[in-house]
Every structure is written in C-alpha cells, then in structure tokens.
Amino acid sequence: MYDDEPISSFVFSNEETTQTFHHQWFAQGELHECATCFSSIHADEPPSQHWLRGGEASQGLQLTKQQQAVLDIIEARQIETFFFCDESSKDKLDHFMGETCARGVPELLRWMFQNNTVAVEFSLACYVNSMDQVLIFQSGSLRVDHHYDVDECVGVVYEMLMQRIENYLHCSSEYGMAECSITRLKVQVKRIRVDAESQPAESALFALPLQLKQDEGLSTKSTSTTSESELASLRSAYLKHFRECNGYFPPNMRVNLYGLQQCKTTKELYVVPYHVSETLQQLPNKNFLILNNIMGQFQRLHELSTPVKSLERDQLSSPLRELHCRRCRTQFSRSSKLHIHEKLRCGQDFSVDSMHADIVEIYEQCLPISRSVFQYACYGITKPKTVMRKGQFVPIECDWRSESSVKVQHGPCVVISNAQHSSPCKFY
C-alpha cells in the first residue's frame, strides 16, 4: 500500500471487437499503470461483464472445507480470543508482528465477517520480550464497519502500537529495540451480527466502506429521493437480471448502476460502471452503488447524487491536501487513516503492562488453525487462562472447588513467560 493517497482513474478502450478495461492511479508524483486490474470483453457486451468474469466475483472470500469447519468450531464455542505465535522471530522486534498484522490478523478479521456479521470490534496486544521481563502493549478497541476497511484499520493500530513500543523503550528501558523481540500477538474480536427478528433500515445495517465515506470525489446522498416501493422494485429487477441474465440488463432499465473494485496492488477502492442507461427526455437517470458482502452476495443499493466519472488529467496532477489530527497534530497522507486515528482517540486507550518474572501464563486446549491460512501458528482460546507461580498452577475465572480445573489438560497450549518456552507445547 502506498503512503500517498492514490487518485484512481479507469480507462475503457475499444479496439475492433474488443473492449479493454485497465486501472491506473496517480501517487507519489507519478502515474502508475496497474498490473493487476485488467480485463477484456467483447465490444458489444455491457461493462458488468468485466466484473462478473473475474473482478467482483473473484474478490469474494472463498473458504475451503477445512477452513469452514474451523470457523464452525469458532462459532460453536464462541471463541473471541486468538494468539499468533512464533519463536523464530527473535532477530527483529517487528518482523513477526509486521508480517502478522499485514496478513494474518486481517485474514482472521475477514473470517469474522461471515454469517450475518455486519461489523467487528477488535484489539491487539503484543508481548515484547525485553531481556529480563515481558512487556504487554495493548491497543484500544476499534470497530470495523465494513470488510473493505480491515486492512487499513489493522495497519493503523499496528503503526500506533509500534510507535508506543519504540517510545517506551527509548524513555523507560535500558534496552533498545535491537535487544527485544515479539513472539506473541493476541487478538480479541467481538462480532456484531444482524438480528433476524428485527428489520432496521438497510443503510443502518450495511455501512459504506470508509474509503468511500472519506472520498470527496464520490458524492453520496444523505437522504434518498427514491421511495421504498421504487427501491424494492429496482432491487428485485437487479437481482432477477443478475441471476437469470448474468448481468445483462434491459434497455428500459433507466438507472445507472456502479460496482466496487479493490486494487490488489494499492488496496484502494474505486467505483466502476456496471450498467449505464441512456437518458430519456430531460429527466436524468438515478445512480446507485451496488454493495455486496464479503462473500460477494448482494446487500443493498446505495443511491448516489451524481454519476461517477473518471478523473481528468488536471485533477490527477493537483497536489494532495495536508491532513493532520487536530488533537495531537500527527500528519497523515490518507483521510481514511486520519479517521481511524481519531476513532482510536490518538491512542488514549492504549496501555502497557509488565509480567512478573515468576509468572507463566498458560492457555490450555487451544483450537489450532492451519499455518497455511495465517502463515504463523494461530490458536483460538477456548478456556480461561491459568497462571503458574513458583511451580503451582492457580486457575483464574474458573471453579476453585473443581479439582479438574487446576489440572493441566492434554492438548495444544500457548505459554507466555520470561523464560523461552516453545509454543505451542503439550503437557502430559
């Protein structure tokens, strides 16, 4: 992802019987041709065929049978705490955490958007091994309202955590970042789901992606001029022709429909035409944005005030305005990052704690998740943690009268202490 906020444009070119689409963006003072957003269709076909043949359809999250089985267990056991573990990252403090926050944590949160989940709240805690102690840096809780916002939200939290680790070690520790390592990352996730019995307004349930909310080039209606009956009729017509005609809409469907694409290179969202109808008389067509869930399934139509047009060259060369937080004066290159930073209240809810040298945290009978999914070992926490002090196990938040609650059970465990325990490990 580029540091500067990319300004996108899309180009449709016709050559004989072929219509070609390609995406380009302006960032860091240069115009970039995208190598990942490209498609070709027959010149007589509607623009929807670009996205149905590999664009929009391919961006839905597709789980394997094994991944779906793991997700079913997570839901059945109501697991909300996960650990990413790796012992090979002692050479660099931010190597393991950086890679996990770039891939593992976002992928985990995208999993959580399954099955009628409309938003997730998450927080991160990283365990920093600083020679003779373990420092626990905890982020504040952040709500993610759209699955397209996951990468950027995790990225902002990661940057703020790393900045606080660096500042703390510089001011309060005799050791520098070179002498420290991170081998544990805890993710706490809470899912916000749709209540099947209540039926609030669709716009209240399914939010716009944050990049679109912050995009001044995309004007959205605060109050729709389309009646509920008109919207229901349009929704039914869209779904019918989408299913039965594979995206071919009749000429008398006098609306302009647009879809969302996410660039695999920049992770940026951009709006593309899906169905553009000719305007009759002097009454302009209404414009709607198609919003789908993480599986690529239809959610709702969002009305736009004006048609979406490709940016002109003089707009692409205009300088980006400077963004900064009014409270802490931190500067940002992306308006969406500034918004996330403000939601986190400039890190006011972030905290740091330390673990006593005699304490060992043990998380028993964890749910292992394949490394092929998240690169590093990941475990769902199914039981309350147990702490060990001076050779004795003391259960926390469990039945003190139950003998079984103080025994270490067989199965994968996550162990955190000042000593260099391997993880995961088994106790017999």
Side-chain angles (χ1 to χ4, degrees), residues 177-382:
M177 295 186 68
E179 289 79 29
C180 301
S181 64
I182 298 176
T183 58
R184 305 286 185 276
L185 184 64
K186 181 170 71 173
V187 186
Q188 292 181 293
V189 184
K190 180 181 179 182
R191 304 166 75 181
I192 296 92
R193 297 195 179 192
V194 177
D195 186 354
E197 297 181 358
S198 63
Q199 294 182 347
E202 284 185 340
S203 59
L205 281 177
F206 307 118
L208 279 174
L210 185 57
Q211 288 187 36
L212 298 190
K213 289 182 180 179
Q214 304 299 312
D215 188 352
E216 295 180 355
L218 183 64
S219 178
T220 58
K221 279 185 175 291
S222 57
T223 56
S224 174
T225 60
T226 305
S227 67
E228 288 296 328
S229 59
E230 289 177 315
L231 190 59
S233 176
L234 176 59
R235 183 169 54 241
S236 298
Y238 164 76
L239 290 174
K240 175 181 175 160
H241 288 93
F242 175 80
R243 293 166 181 166
E244 298 179 4
C245 305
N246 194 32
Y248 284 82
F249 299 98
N252 61 354
M253 193 171 178
R254 300 295 175 186
V255 294
N256 298 331
L257 300 178
Y258 299 89
L260 285 177
Q261 292 287 291
Q262 184 175 41
C263 179
K264 295 180 180 179
T265 303
T266 65
K267 302 300 181 184
E268 174 211 12
L269 290 181
Y270 55 98
V271 179
V272 292
Y274 197 92
H275 165 77
V276 179
S277 175
E278 294 183 3
T279 302
L280 295 181
Q281 302 176 353
Q282 296 182 353
L283 188 64
N285 293 336
K286 292 184 177 181
N287 306 282
F288 294 90
L289 180 66
I290 304 167
L291 295 178
N292 295 331
N293 64 15
I294 197 168
M295 301 297 293
Q297 300 165 338
F298 175 78
Q299 284 183 323
R300 70 180 179 99
L301 296 174
H302 179 85
E303 188 170 359
L304 306 174
S305 60
T306 58
V308 178
K309 297 181 180 179
S310 179
L311 296 173
E312 302 296 335
R313 294 287 171 165
D314 57 348
Q315 289 178 279
L316 293 178
S317 59
S318 61
L320 295 174
R321 62 189 179 93
E322 293 185 359
L323 302 169
H324 66 270
C325 176
R326 294 181 179 180
R327 177 183 293 180
C328 67
R329 311 304 297 177
T330 303
Q331 293 186 350
F332 295 89
S333 59
R334 292 172 177 265
S335 55
S336 50
K337 283 190 174 183
L338 171 59
H339 181 79
I340 298 168
H341 173 87
E342 292 174 339
K343 286 177 67 176
L344 289 165
R345 303 197 302 169
C346 309
Q348 184 175 333
D349 297 326
F350 284 45
S351 63
V352 59
D353 200 357
S354 62
M355 182 181 295
H356 192 274
D358 292 338
I359 291 180
V360 178
E361 287 186 358
I362 298 178
Y363 297 83
E364 306 173 53
Q365 295 185 339
C366 301
L367 172 67
I369 301 176
S370 173
R371 284 178 179 264
S372 62
V373 179
F374 299 131
Q375 186 177 6
Y376 292 98
C378 179
Y379 297 89
I381 305 304
T382 62

Side-chain angles (χ1 to χ4, degrees), residues 10 22 35 58 84 105 112 141 147 156 231 241 248 262 296 341 368 376 379:
F10 48 86
H22 64 95
S58 66
F84 288 89
V105 176
M112 299 297 104
S141 180
H147 60 87
V156 171
L231 190 59
H241 288 93
Y248 284 82
Q262 184 175 41
H341 173 87
Y376 292 98
Y379 297 89

Side-chain angles (χ1 to χ4, degrees), residues 22-42:
H22 64 95
H23 168 224
Q24 54 187 201
W25 69 90
F26 185 84
Q28 299 176 338
E30 297 181 1
L31 184 66
H32 301 263
E33 296 290 341
C34 183
T36 54
C37 303
F38 176 89
S39 67
S40 296
I41 60 174
H42 194 276

Side-chain angles (χ1 to χ4, degrees), residues 5 22 46 59 116 155 166-167 173 187 250 254 289 335 347 428:
E5 187 162 9
H22 64 95
Q59 291 188 15
N116 299 322
E166 184 176 1
N167 292 343
S173 176
V187 186
R254 300 295 175 186
L289 180 66
S335 55
Y428 297 97

